[in-house]
């Protein structure tokens, strides 16, 4: 009893204990390693521990380089602080601001309902529609916002198909289960729905109530089997949305933070590398996203009962009636949105313009519009800031010249497409700080020589074939990110992976790109990503459901990335040769080693 009480008390203060004990446990690093490398590794380990355990808020841990690197003599503050708002952060910020304007005018909901009305209402097609919509939205919105928006829509459609979830759960239980539950005094666990679900349910509660319930001629066992099938489909709906959101975020540079960290690290380590920009990344990652999405859909639809003969054969039964009600619900919800208004049209225009300008700035295979400006001056961040700046003054109502001459016209205040107050509330500033902390850490690893030191100790991996190394790197990071945030994971490991590539004379992009993508493939645990947590909070999914589904999803993701890197990835980025932009790094390292050798020879002579 005393042990259990003590363990509970320790758990209450476990974060404080981590904050106190971690610096003491890793103190020997300062004395057993070379001075600068040891100090830098000490800070990296502290930050990694605090990020993985969340002993401090992620953004607060990200600010530690500002105080630790200067005080330990690793880097001066004037070199650390600028890392927190470099060019990459501006590109990320512009994407977030554009996303907040899309959410402000409900354009994302219109897109979602339109896609669902096109794909149909059979469970497998609806799962595909949910996955396509979630992945497309998460290319531009945050994965978390996409999941939070799509789950209420999914719940409303599911209720029109199968009825109330609690009733469905009761039908799944046999008479013996029900009696044992009563004997043991167990009560049913209520569904903990998301805050936004009730409104969606209220919308759909009015649908389909005019049709009287038909008498069910099936036996109790048949009814229970049907209810169990419906529960499986419900799980498939809930689990496919966060998975698709995580997959979709990898398709664009602004879709998820690790992609931007890759760009920042490349500019820091290899300033001459200009192969990765918005257009080239999309050309590589979008086909990969579609491939993985298709494989993931097959697996989820197979596992949760969506793949059956009903995909091709139409039957007139109760399921058909439920599907008809769901189809009517989707159409009715879309009809309630009304015709597209001026604000939605304007946001759509700027959204398309944003994407087109980013794609065509420097697409590599043709001359981009950046040639009209001084070379190296205009980047993706410039494009993003130009577009989002327009949103703050472009009108949300159609302007009319008659308003000036009509004294009877309403003198309503001018409302732009986006206000700074809305943008300020919508932008996750903590993620921007997290990005900055990652860039600061990478800068310190580079300047202190820690990355080179760690890369040298990974030399035995040179014996592993590069294609196998790609699989191992992707698998390792996909597993590690199950327990830590994807941003923290890529911040910690990307400098080491870059040094590993240099040490084994492999194109750095060949290792860095799969590592970056693999960090977004966290499917097995509710705590792995915020989208997983939101879906799990619905109260219907269990951890074993996510582990069973996510394990195979991880394998499919690793295989998809390996295929992409060794086919169109090699052709796009010329990955089978060691690039010239990585040579200066090696040359400088060789020169330094040569100088050391000369100095040692002179000392020996003297």
């Amino acid at each position: 009893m005393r042990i259990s009480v003590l363990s509970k008390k320790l758990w209450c203060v476990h974060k404080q204990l981590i904050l106190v004990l971690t610096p003491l446990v890793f103190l020997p690093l300062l004395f057993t390693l070379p001075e600068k490398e040891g100090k830098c590794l000490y800070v990296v380990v502290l930050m990694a521990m605090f990020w993985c355990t969340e002993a401090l808020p992620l953004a607060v841990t990200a600010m530690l380089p500002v105080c630790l690197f200067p005080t330990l003599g690793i880097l001066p503050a004037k070199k650390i602080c600028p890392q927190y708002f470099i060019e990459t952060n501006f590109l990320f910020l512009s994407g977030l601001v554009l996303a907040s304007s899309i959410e402000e005018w409900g354009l994302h909901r219109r897109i979602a309902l339109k896609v669902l009305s096109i794909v149909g209402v059979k469970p497998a097609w609806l799962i595909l529609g949910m996955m396509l919509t979630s992945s497309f939205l998460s290319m531009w919105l945050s994965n978390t916002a996409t999941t939070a928006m799509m789950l209420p829509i999914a719940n409303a459609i599911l209720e029109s198909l199968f009825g109330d979830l609690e009733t469905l759960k009761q039908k799944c239980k046999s008479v013996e289960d029900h009696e044992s539950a009563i004997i043991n005094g167990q009560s049913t666990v209520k569904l903990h729905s998301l805050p936004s679900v009730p409104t969606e349910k209220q919308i759909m509660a009015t649908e389909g109530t005019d049709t009287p319930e038909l008498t069910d001629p099936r036996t109790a066992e048949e009814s229970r089997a049907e209810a169990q099938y419906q529960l499986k489909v419900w799980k498939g709906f809930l689990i496919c949305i966060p998975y698709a959101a995580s997959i979709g975020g990898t398709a664009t540079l602004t879709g998820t933070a690790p992609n931007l960290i890759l760009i920042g690290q490349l500019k820091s380590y290899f300033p001459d590398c200009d192969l990765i920009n918005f257009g080239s990344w999309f050309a590589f990652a979008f086909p990969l996203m579609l491939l993985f999405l298709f494989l993931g859909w097959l697996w989820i639809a197979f596992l949760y009962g969506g793949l059956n003969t009903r995909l091709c054969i139409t039957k007139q039964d109760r399921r058909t009636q439920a599907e008809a009600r769901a189809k009517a619900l989707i159409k009715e919800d879309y009809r309630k949105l009304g015709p597209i208004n001026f604000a939605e049209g304007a946001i759509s225009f700027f959204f398309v313009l944003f994407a087109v300008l980013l794609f065509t700035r420097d697409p590599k295979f043709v001359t981009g519009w950046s040639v009209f400006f001084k070379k190296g001056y205009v980047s993706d961040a410039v494009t993003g800031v130009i577009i989002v700046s327009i949103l703050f003054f472009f009108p949300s109502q159609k302007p009319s010249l008659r308003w000036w001459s009509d004294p009877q016209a309403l003198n309503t205040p001018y409302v732009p497409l986006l206000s700074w107050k809305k943008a300020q509330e919508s932008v996750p500033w903590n993620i921007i700080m997290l990005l900055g902390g990652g860039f600061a850490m990478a800068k310190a690893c580079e300047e202190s020589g820690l990355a080179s030191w760690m890369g040298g100790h990974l030399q035995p991996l040179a014996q592993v074939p590069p294609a196998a190394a790609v699989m191992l790197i992707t698998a390792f990071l996909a597993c590690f990110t199950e327990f830590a945030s994807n941003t923290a994971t890529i911040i910690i490991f990307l400098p080491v992976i870059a040094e590993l590539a240099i040490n084994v004379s492999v194109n750095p992009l060949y290792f860095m790109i799969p590592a970056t993508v693999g960090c977004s493939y966290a499917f097995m645990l509710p705590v792995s990503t915020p989208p997983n947590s939101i879906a799990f909070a619905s109260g219907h999914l269990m951890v074993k459901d996510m582990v069973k589904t996510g394990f195979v999803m991880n394998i499919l993701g690793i295989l998809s990335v390996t295929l992409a890197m060794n086919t169109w990835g090699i052709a796009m980025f010329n990955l089978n040769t060691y690039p010239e932009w990585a040579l200066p790094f090696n040359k400088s390292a060789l020169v330094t080693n040569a100088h050391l050798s000369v100095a040692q020879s002179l000392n020996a002579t003297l």
Side-chain angles (χ1 to χ4, degrees):
M1 186 64 180
R2 289 180 181 177
I3 294 175
S4 64
V5 171
L6 179 62
S7 63
K8 287 179 182 178
K9 290 187 180 294
L10 286 174
W11 180 252
C12 289
V13 295
H14 74 281
K15 289 188 176 181
Q16 288 76 11
L17 290 174
I18 291 170
L19 289 172
V20 173
L21 295 178
T22 303
L24 297 177
V25 169
F26 293 102
L27 205 58
L29 290 175
L30 297 175
F31 309 106
T32 56
L33 298 178
E35 184 182 3
K36 251 193 168 180
E37 289 90 335
K39 289 179 179 179
C40 188
L41 182 60
Y42 180 69
V43 176
V44 169
V45 170
L46 286 187
M47 292 178 67
M49 285 294 295
F50 294 163
W51 267 330
C52 293
T53 60
E54 295 191 29
L56 284 174
L58 296 181
V60 176
T61 302
M63 291 191 290
L64 291 180
V66 176
C67 58
L68 293 180
F69 286 140
T71 53
L72 290 174
I74 300 169
L75 271 184
K78 66 181 180 181
K79 284 191 175 182
I80 288 292
C81 292
Q83 302 300 316
Y84 283 81
F85 232 102
I86 62 174
E87 173 195 337
T88 307
N89 271 356
F90 269 103
L91 176 60
F92 187 51
L93 178 61
S94 61
L96 293 172
V97 172
L98 182 64
S100 67
S101 68
I102 291 172
E103 293 175 22
E104 172 77 359
W105 296 102
L107 184 61
H108 57 318
R109 181 173 173 79
R110 185 180 291 275
I111 293 170
L113 291 172
K114 188 64 179 176
V115 172
L116 293 176
S117 66
I118 292 171
V119 296
V121 291
K122 294 184 187 300
W125 296 133
L126 267 180
I127 289 174
L128 179 61
M130 287 287 176
M131 293 183 75
L132 287 173
T133 308
S134 301
S135 58
F136 174 76
L137 291 175
S138 68
M139 287 164 56
W140 316 101
L141 310 179
S142 74
N143 300 348
T144 307
T146 299
T147 306
M149 189 273 293
M150 290 297 295
L151 277 176
I153 297 175
N155 277 319
I157 294 169
L158 288 166
E159 287 199 354
S160 69
L161 278 170
F162 306 136
D164 181 64
L165 178 59
E166 291 305 315
T167 307
L168 201 58
K169 285 182 176 179
Q170 290 299 321
K171 287 180 181 177
C172 286
K173 295 182 179 179
S174 64
V175 177
E176 292 81 3
D177 292 337
H178 184 63
E179 288 175 354
S180 64
I182 294 172
I183 292 168
N184 296 327
Q186 294 173 347
S187 59
T188 28
V189 179
K190 290 187 178 179
L191 175 72
H192 300 288
S193 57
L194 295 169
S196 50
V197 172
T199 35
E200 192 65 35
K201 286 184 177 177
Q202 287 166 5
I203 291 173
M204 96 113 256
T206 58
E207 302 295 328
T209 53
D210 298 333
T211 306
E213 285 291 323
L214 299 175
T215 307
D216 193 348
R218 296 172 297 185
T219 64
E221 192 59 34
E222 287 174 342
S223 296
R224 189 162 71 91
E226 178 67 13
Q228 287 174 342
Y229 164 78
Q230 292 172 356
L231 266 181
K232 280 179 66 177
V233 173
W234 202 305
K235 285 184 179 182
F237 268 67
L238 294 181
I239 212 166
C240 77
I241 292 171
Y243 289 0
S246 296
I247 295 169
T250 62
T252 60
L253 277 184
T254 55
T256 187
N259 298 353
L260 292 164
I261 289 170
L262 170 67
I263 293 295
Q265 302 271 25
L266 281 174
K267 288 180 179 176
S268 175
Y269 271 82
F270 310 109
D272 295 332
C273 176
D274 61 349
L275 290 175
I276 304 289
N277 56 37
F278 195 96
S280 63
W281 178 267
F282 184 84
F284 166 77
F286 185 69
L288 170 60
M289 183 204 79
L290 291 179
L291 171 65
F292 188 17
L293 207 65
F294 176 70
L295 295 176
W297 169 66
L298 289 178
W299 167 239
I300 292 171
F302 167 76
L303 188 63
Y304 293 101
L307 288 181
N308 50 44
T309 56
R310 296 178 62 85
L311 285 177
C312 306
I313 302 172
T314 303
K315 296 181 181 179
Q316 295 300 324
D317 54 11
R318 287 176 173 272
R319 288 188 191 175
T320 306
Q321 295 171 10
E323 288 167 2
R325 288 197 302 270
K327 191 171 185 179
L329 169 68
I330 294 171
K331 286 185 176 178
E332 178 61 18
D333 275 359
Y334 189 79
R335 187 191 64 77
K336 287 178 181 177
L337 293 177
I340 190 166
N341 58 37
F342 180 80
E344 288 177 304
I347 290 293
S348 302
F349 170 76
F350 287 118
F351 172 69
V352 172
L353 184 63
F354 176 77
V356 169
L357 288 178
L358 287 175
F359 290 141
T360 58
R361 181 186 65 84
D362 186 17
K364 302 301 179 188
F365 55 89
V366 292
T367 304
W369 56 263
S370 61
V371 296
F372 297 110
F373 301 91
K374 198 168 181 179
K375 187 176 180 181
Y377 274 56
V378 177
S379 67
D380 288 338
V382 176
T383 308
V385 172
I386 289 172
I387 296 297
V388 299
S389 298
I390 297 173
L391 300 179
F392 289 102
F393 66 82
F394 197 86
S396 59
Q397 301 290 331
K398 188 175 181 180
S400 173
L401 292 176
R402 268 190 252 171
W403 180 81
W404 292 96
S405 57
D406 185 1
Q408 311 243 335
L410 293 175
N411 295 321
T412 53
Y414 168 82
V415 179
L417 287 174
L418 187 64
S419 65
W420 177 250
K421 183 179 179 182
K422 172 64 181 176
Q424 194 173 3
E425 291 170 355
S426 303
V427 172
W429 300 101
N430 58 327
I431 302 297
I432 292 177
M433 293 302 299
L434 194 59
L435 283 175
F439 296 141
M441 181 191 283
K443 186 72 174 174
C445 289
E446 179 192 353
E447 300 246 344
S448 67
L450 174 64
S452 300
W453 181 82
M454 293 183 76
H457 281 74
L458 294 173
Q459 190 65 34
L461 289 176
Q463 308 305 319
V464 179
V470 166
M471 290 188 71
L472 290 174
I473 289 169
T474 310
F476 172 73
L477 291 184
C479 292
F480 192 90
T481 197
E482 299 287 351
F483 307 97
S485 78
N486 56 0
T487 309
T489 300
I490 199 66
I491 286 170
I492 295 166
F493 289 106
L494 203 56
V496 180
I497 289 168
E499 285 293 337
L500 170 63
I502 290 167
N503 276 276
V504 299
S505 298
V506 171
N507 190 317
L509 291 178
Y510 191 61
F511 286 173
M512 295 173 80
I513 290 175
T516 303
V517 176
C519 277
S520 295
Y521 292 168
F523 304 117
M524 290 176 61
L525 296 173
V527 296
S528 301
T529 64
N532 289 8
S533 301
I534 292 172
F536 186 75
S538 66
H540 181 46
L541 291 174
M542 292 184 286
V543 174
K544 67 178 182 181
D545 296 322
M546 301 198 83
V547 171
K548 178 173 65 175
T549 314
F551 180 74
V552 176
M553 289 291 290
N554 276 355
I555 293 173
L556 293 175
I558 293 164
L559 294 176
S560 299
V561 171
T562 305
L563 175 65
M565 292 303 300
N566 290 289
T567 51
W568 66 88
I570 286 179
M572 284 184 62
F573 303 119
N574 200 18
L575 298 176
N576 50 3
T577 60
Y578 196 79
E580 290 185 5
W581 47 261
L583 288 175
F585 192 98
N586 278 0
K587 286 177 182 175
S588 63
L590 290 170
V591 169
T592 303
N593 291 336
H595 287 169
L596 287 172
S597 300
V598 171
Q600 287 170 358
S601 302
L602 288 172
N603 287 336
T605 307
L606 294 173

